[in-house]
Amino acid sequence: MMSQKNSRRELVLVGLSHRTAPVELREQVAFDGARTEQLSRKLQANQMVAEIVVLSTCNRSELYAVQSAACPANTGALESSFAASHGMLPASLNGYLYRQNDGDVVRHLFRVVASLDSQFLGEAEIQGQVRDAYLRAVAIGVTGPVLNRLFQAALEVGKRVRAETGISARPVSVAFAGVKLGERIFGNFMGHCALVVGAGAVAEQVVQHLRERGVSRLLVSSRTREHAEKLSQRFGGEIVPWESLSSVLATPDVIVCSAASSERVFSRGMLAQAMAVRSNRPLFLIDLAVPRNIEPSASELYNVYLYDIEDLEEIVEENRKARAMEVPRVEEIIAQHVSKFEAWQAATELAATWAGLSQAEKVKLIEARAEQIHPVSLENRQRWIQQTSALLEAERDVDRSDASGRPGRMRSSMRALRILFGYGEERS
């Protein structure tokens, strides 16, 4: 009887995320660069894993591993190491960790990089975070053929999802939605001035987005001067005394309001005067305050674009629904790449199985398979045996991938192996 070797090394995932753990716990188990390297080297040196990638973001901490030949996959050991690396007992993570194996690991990672598992559907940062985690593992030297292939495939999934679907196209935060509206008016913020009134958290986010998009000048005003100073120092702004607000209204092109005030900060009349001074150049206002800081009827003024918190929340909700409509297409892309990865796994297992056979077993298998090919002449069957034997012996190192991201070609020997073992044609 032919010897059979199990060439599969199981994929294992242990982790937690915003879906399973509160932010306080996620903060405790975050992996920085030093802790990532220490844990990765320790697990590999102790032969607990053959390969490992640690993915750690503000919303998740996950270990992706391939079992070693010396130590079959043991999620319990990985969980203990996960906890110990943060000075915690494994029991303290009970109910928060999830564990997955093989195909579920592949599907999970592809969903993560496609942002389907993110706190905000369609967020773009996760693709870069997955890439950085993978490249860090490559630099440490703890990846191998399986995780190289898996993470390269994951990055391709992320690239396709963002290029072929609209899941990341619409802003789903109030701050970003406001800034995107402003870009519709001005095209970009280069050369424009912004005034921030008040110092709320959302207002700070708007200012950060404005700065990132090149707003040239920033004015800051708050009833509490200390708040204005902090915001000004953080984003490089100029402080405007609260009592002088009306005198600078003609200067900014963008005004962001989030002041705690029971009375209107800006009346329609004040803005009308400012527009006259600025020759009716467009003025974009975001009123994030409740009660509102700006008199609503100011929106009726020519070239004044006023949006309050309800307007922005309505836009965000519409955008969330639009992103959700893209999910089925994203799932299709993921399914395609899961199938491709599983085909690659099957191919490498076949190649390893063939390499583990003795020469006599190989000859016997080829001849037995040849007997099943009918109706074929004896001469053609012998020719098939000779060609198949030569092909398989010449090209056993099939479909390898390196860490540079350049997958090897699926050689013709793989096709012969699949036919020989009765798997039919290779899937594309």
Side-chain angles (χ1 to χ4, degrees):
M1 179 180 289
M2 297 181 185
S3 61
Q4 295 294 322
K5 296 186 178 182
N6 182 7
S7 59
R8 174 183 287 275
R9 289 189 178 183
E10 190 173 14
L11 268 170
V12 181
L13 164 65
V14 171
L16 55 76
S17 73
H18 63 96
R19 296 186 184 278
T20 64
V23 64
E24 293 81 8
L25 180 57
R26 300 201 304 273
E27 289 173 343
Q28 292 180 54
V29 299
F31 286 88
D32 58 17
R35 186 172 279 131
T36 293
E37 181 170 356
Q38 182 181 25
L39 176 63
S40 299
R41 292 192 185 281
K42 179 180 178 181
L43 289 174
Q44 198 174 63
N46 293 342
Q47 295 189 317
M48 292 179 65
V49 300
E51 309 175 33
I52 186 168
V53 172
V54 178
L55 174 60
S56 186
T57 73
C58 59
N59 284 325
R60 69 184 65 249
S61 289
E62 297 176 333
L63 307 183
Y64 293 83
V66 178
Q67 72 178 57
S68 68
C71 181
N74 184 341
T75 58
L78 281 179
E79 291 168 23
S80 296
S81 299
F82 184 109
S85 66
H86 298 284
M88 302 170 68
L89 295 174
S92 63
L93 299 179
N94 286 347
Y96 299 111
L97 288 175
Y98 43 79
R99 309 141 188 95
Q100 295 182 5
N101 300 87
D102 286 330
D104 290 336
V105 178
V106 177
R107 190 169 292 101
H108 176 83
L109 178 59
F110 290 178
R111 286 179 56 83
V112 166
V113 78
S115 80
L116 294 190
D117 198 57
S118 295
Q119 193 166 18
F120 298 103
L121 182 67
E123 58 103 352
E125 290 82 3
I126 187 61
Q127 184 170 357
Q129 292 166 335
V130 170
R131 181 187 63 246
D132 292 345
Y134 168 57
L135 293 179
R136 185 180 299 113
V138 170
I140 297 171
V142 291
T143 64
V146 178
L147 290 187
N148 284 338
R149 181 78 179 207
L150 176 62
F151 275 81
Q152 290 162 18
L155 294 175
E156 178 63 22
V157 169
K159 181 179 178 181
R160 281 193 62 194
V161 163
R162 285 160 182 83
E164 298 176 23
T165 77
I167 198 162
S168 300
R170 298 167 179 259
V172 290
S173 75
V174 167
F176 195 38
V179 171
K180 295 298 285 184
L181 284 173
E183 287 181 337
R184 292 184 188 177
I185 298 168
F186 300 111
N188 62 67
F189 293 104
M190 301 292 291
H192 292 286
C193 174
L195 166 65
V196 182
V197 180
V202 179
E204 288 190 25
Q205 294 171 18
V206 173
V207 174
Q208 182 172 349
H209 287 307
L210 289 171
R211 275 303 197 197
E212 289 172 352
R213 281 158 178 75
V215 72
S216 300
R217 187 182 177 193
L218 178 64
L219 307 178
V220 180
S221 185
S222 175
R223 278 199 176 93
T224 306
R225 186 173 179 84
E226 181 183 356
H227 293 166
E229 288 175 347
K230 287 182 179 179
L231 195 62
S232 178
Q233 290 172 3
R234 180 179 175 187
F235 296 105
E238 307 166 32
I239 297 177
V240 176
W242 184 263
E243 60 274 10
S244 302
L245 269 177
S246 59
S247 65
V248 300
L249 272 184
T251 302
D253 305 297
V254 179
I255 299 178
V256 181
C257 291
S258 64
S261 175
S262 58
E263 300 179 354
R264 305 290 189 206
V265 177
F266 299 124
S267 67
R268 173 177 174 146
M270 293 170 64
L271 292 171
Q273 292 177 10
M275 289 300 288
V277 174
R278 54 189 283 118
S279 301
N280 283 325
R281 284 183 292 111
L283 179 60
F284 177 55
L285 303 104
I286 303 175
D287 191 349
L288 302 171
V290 179
R292 288 172 289 182
N293 290 164
I294 303 172
E295 188 175 345
S297 63
S299 63
E300 299 170 2
L301 296 172
Y302 176 70
N303 259 358
V304 170
Y305 301 89
L306 171 60
Y307 295 88
D308 62 26
I309 189 68
E310 286 190 353
D311 296 327
L312 296 179
E313 287 176 344
E314 184 178 336
I315 291 170
V316 165
E317 184 58 30
E318 290 175 357
N319 290 348
R320 286 197 185 103
K321 291 177 180 177
R323 285 190 175 193
M325 291 178 67
E326 298 291 318
V327 170
R329 174 59 184 144
V330 174
E331 294 280 17
E332 288 178 11
I333 293 173
I334 290 172
Q336 292 169 13
H337 284 268
V338 168
S339 295
K340 287 184 178 181
F341 186 83
E342 290 175 343
W344 175 81
Q345 280 187 308
T348 54
E349 289 166 19
L350 285 176
T353 298
W354 177 258
L357 298 176
S358 67
Q359 187 61 31
E361 288 174 326
K362 292 175 182 178
V363 171
K364 186 175 180 181
L365 181 59
I366 292 173
E367 290 179 345
R369 187 63 172 157
E371 289 295 327
Q372 299 173 9
I373 301 176
H374 60 82
V376 176
S377 67
L378 179 61
E379 179 182 355
N380 286 337
R381 185 161 60 245
Q382 289 299 325
R383 185 182 298 114
W384 184 85
I385 292 174
Q386 293 171 1
Q387 291 174 345
T388 301
S389 299
L391 183 61
L392 294 172
E393 289 306 313
E395 302 189 54
R396 285 180 291 181
D397 57 333
V398 296
D399 195 34
R400 292 181 179 174
S401 296
D402 61 25
S404 68
R406 296 170 297 190
R409 292 181 300 172
M410 178 65 74
R411 302 181 187 275
S412 53
S413 56
M414 198 62 254
R415 179 174 176 273
L417 272 175
R418 292 184 66 83
I419 294 173
L420 186 63
F421 283 93
Y423 279 83
E425 294 295 328
E426 175 66 32
R427 286 174 285 179
S428 59

